[in-house]
Amino acid sequence: MNHLFAEGFRRTMRIGFLLFLFVLTASSLWAQVDTGSIGGTIHDSSGAVIPNATVTLIDEGTKFARTKVTGTDGIYQFTPLKIGIYTVSAEAPGFQKAQTAHVPLDIQQRATVDFTLQPGKVNQLIEVKANAAALQTQSAALQQVVGTTTINELPLNGRNASFLAQLSAGVNNSQADTRLLAANGGFVANGVHADQNNYMLDGIDNNSAVGDLVNETYYVIMPPPDALQEFSVQTNDYSAEFGHSAGAVLNAVTKSGTNAFHGDVWEFLRNDKLDATDFFIDAANEPKEEYRLNQFGGTFGGPLGKPSSHKRTFFFGDYQGTRIRQGNPYTETIPTAAERSSGFTDFQDLISGQTGTPRTDDLGRSFPVGTIFDPATTRNVTAGQVDTPTGITATASGQVRDPFYAGSLMNMTNFTTAAAIANMNMIPPGRLDQNAINLLNLFPNPTVSTVANNFTDAPVISTEANTFDVRGDHNFSEKDTMFGRYGLAKTNLVYPGPFPGVADGAASRPGSGPTKAQVYALSETHTFSPSLINEARIGYSRLHDIRLQYDGNDINNIPGQYGIQGIPQVAQNGGLPGLYVGAYAMLGSAATNPSNKWSNTLQATENLTKLKGKHTIRTGFEFQDIRFPMLTPPTSRGSFTFNGEFTSVVNKTDSSTGVAQFLLTPQASTYGVAAYNDLGGANSIAASNFRTMAEMRRLYIAGYVQDNWKVTPKFTVSAGVRYDSEGRPHEYFGAEASLWDPGPGAGKYVLPTYRDSIVPQGFINLLNTDGITYAPTDGPVWEFMSYGDIGPRLGLAYRPTSKLVLRAGYAIFYGGLENEGLSARSTNAFPF
């Protein structure tokens, strides 16, 4: 076992054990992450409180009832309650029974239903209907709650409910990004980074830990809007029971079955026949890009068991299918028809098809943009001295090279005339590399005759997604309730590049492949007494995302067929490397793939509630085991750049000539200058091995204490404190190393002591040469962690009138660990 992990685990578990003992010995513990409470005071007509009054609460959806008896202060409270619509009634000997129906209860709401009982017979009933509260009057938290009607009726992009967060004050959509996170509902709350929001589903952690969030969402799974009962966003001053973030808390609650069978079906359609044509597609006289979207599905829920008016078991399920075919417009630069038909020997159109300021070399010669130079003619010149090959006196000291020119270069200084241009940019066939020609022939034919932006196409991105959820609720008795939920989402994305086959050319696409997400949740609530309630929850989420380049699993040595040797031929590493040839579009596939990443989070929480007079005191404990294995080799197929550095005027690189640099076979210097023998080829190469999966893990432990004190019916004080321990990310098998370089002579290269046997002596010698100390360690290799994140919370809520609430709050929030990709981590360092 990783010694560093073992020490961190022991230390974290000591903290966790102390918190657990605190939970067991505390006088009261409470949590209502995805629930609420209903309470109030029972008075008589004179305003005096009525003790020992019986209060009955009925869930109008399931008809499940529970009762409480008021204390000497006449106060009652039901908590925690799942969200829904309730009927509350109160009765006492010598008084008429009073009832308030249709009381709505939202996430985290503490609804107040007071009664004033009138003298009379017990069998008399006074009934009123409740109105939905316009204001949250007993909490300092800033919260936006979106109910079923709004969820279903608002137009949502892709029927993605996370966009509802942007209805809240202080919330804005996050900036556009290459991971499409903003396009999938990412948001910023009060200026805090979008990665600092906490996503929850039915009170269980729903945050994606996939490295670099290549799954394109901050969350693991999001049920369709028709399956959501309510959606809540808390942006500020939320209580100590919430942590794990410095941004907003987004909590979605799924529907449960009711006493009657209900369901719905839907079909949403969008078709390119109703859309305008992309400007560049239209300009190229190409057909309109395809766009077809179908989203369909249904929900169904109801009771289980024999017919009765008081059923105990309820179910709810939903399914949604999504099918998208979307043309993705590309406008790229590829070889012209003239270049291709000449066998890539005639590049005169690089000059005739471009404009720009001519480039002057150290002999004072002027060349038009697009002029191709022969790397083999590179030589040194000295200011004031004659350059022997041309007979021209140098105007500056440096290096020069000659263009490919069909004629004499003696004494010529102006190559911008029509006569000079007619003799330029013709490369002898014998100088070309056949493998390079074969690679360039993978490009399709251009769609227009220009030199730049001469190819337009709209290959189809295909998305096929299926989501499924099922939830069961069971009421064992008035004192015991339970729910369980399972969710599954499978998506397969095919994201083609602009070019067919292995030519690919998708330089910045996310890759193609499947994503599979699963979530489990189980919750049991037990009432020990009217003033002591226990809630236990466990949850597990599992997300697996694979992104591959074109022909990623073809290991028949495709690169070797084009003369590119040494690329590991293993599963997921097939296809061409990325070839960046001058001004052309990339050929092959980007080095960012393959990507094989996981997010596995096991969560357990234990909470109790104690009601004591005007106080609701709560404490909670949470544990998460977060594992996020990653396989993202930096450049396991290589990345080769030919930017024209060796085929341009020296130190004045013209990228359009990079194609000649790609084609030319390096050879000995024309003028016998040894320093310039074999000048050419790629000017930049990046390559890595194909490493094994990095087994990244960390633990998260938290605990809190919170007291909500209803000082008066109009004034509420909430005070609490939270402890968060995020846990240090580490590679389970110690496959991580890092170079610490604070200054000259102070650098250190560190890795776990028990892994230093794989470091070659030659590498250690190189470190010594550069004054860097080789320092294996039993301590942290990379990131450190804090064990003291203690955040106080204080909130005040005062209601001077029924339509006005004044809030104030103070809190310290600790941001969760921001998501990172593998390239920034120590697991990507040598020798791993």
Side-chain angles (χ1 to χ4, degrees), residues 656-679:
S656 68
T657 70
V659 59
Q661 182 178 318
F662 179 71
L663 286 163
L664 287 168
T665 301
Q667 66 176 33
S669 169
T670 302
Y671 301 112
V673 184
Y676 301 126
N677 281 337
D678 298 322
L679 184 65

Side-chain angles (χ1 to χ4, degrees), residues 641-720:
T641 301
F642 303 82
N643 71 349
E645 178 179 341
F646 305 133
T647 51
S648 302
V649 173
V650 177
N651 296 326
K652 296 179 181 179
T653 300
D654 178 356
S655 64
S656 68
T657 70
V659 59
Q661 182 178 318
F662 179 71
L663 286 163
L664 287 168
T665 301
Q667 66 176 33
S669 169
T670 302
Y671 301 112
V673 184
Y676 301 126
N677 281 337
D678 298 322
L679 184 65
N683 53 277
S684 174
I685 299 175
S688 74
N689 61 316
F690 190 89
R691 65 154 295 150
T692 57
M693 186 80 72
E695 293 288 341
M696 300 301 297
R697 302 183 181 184
R698 68 184 178 92
L699 298 177
Y700 170 72
I701 292 177
Y704 73 91
V705 178
Q706 180 83 24
D707 181 13
N708 290 318
W709 176 25
K710 192 172 182 180
V711 183
T712 71
K714 294 185 176 183
F715 182 47
T716 302
V717 176
S718 60

Side-chain angles (χ1 to χ4, degrees), residues 472-486:
D473 292 75
H474 183 71
N475 302 319
F476 294 98
S477 68
E478 184 178 331
K479 293 185 176 181
D480 264 308
T481 62
M482 175 181 286
F483 83 80
R485 175 181 49 78
Y486 170 74

Side-chain angles (χ1 to χ4, degrees), residues 771-809:
I772 298 172
T773 302
Y774 177 63
T777 179
D778 292 325
V781 170
W782 185 237
E783 290 134 329
F784 294 89
M785 66 168 288
S786 170
Y787 294 93
D789 293 344
I790 298 176
R793 313 283 173 89
L794 176 64
L796 308 174
Y798 176 61
R799 177 171 56 92
T801 72
S802 61
K803 296 183 178 181
L804 177 64
V805 178
L806 304 178
R807 296 185 179 91

Side-chain angles (χ1 to χ4, degrees), residues 7-8 13 20 25 59 84 135 196 215 246 255-256 315 388 409 424 433 467 479 637 741:
E7 175 57 28
M13 290 310 296
F20 183 68
T25 57
D59 185 330
L135 295 171
Q196 288 297 311
N215 61 304
K255 289 180 179 177
S256 58
F315 75 93
T388 302
L409 297 172
M424 295 169 66
D433 182 279
T467 64
K479 293 185 176 181
R637 283 171 290 105
D741 192 9

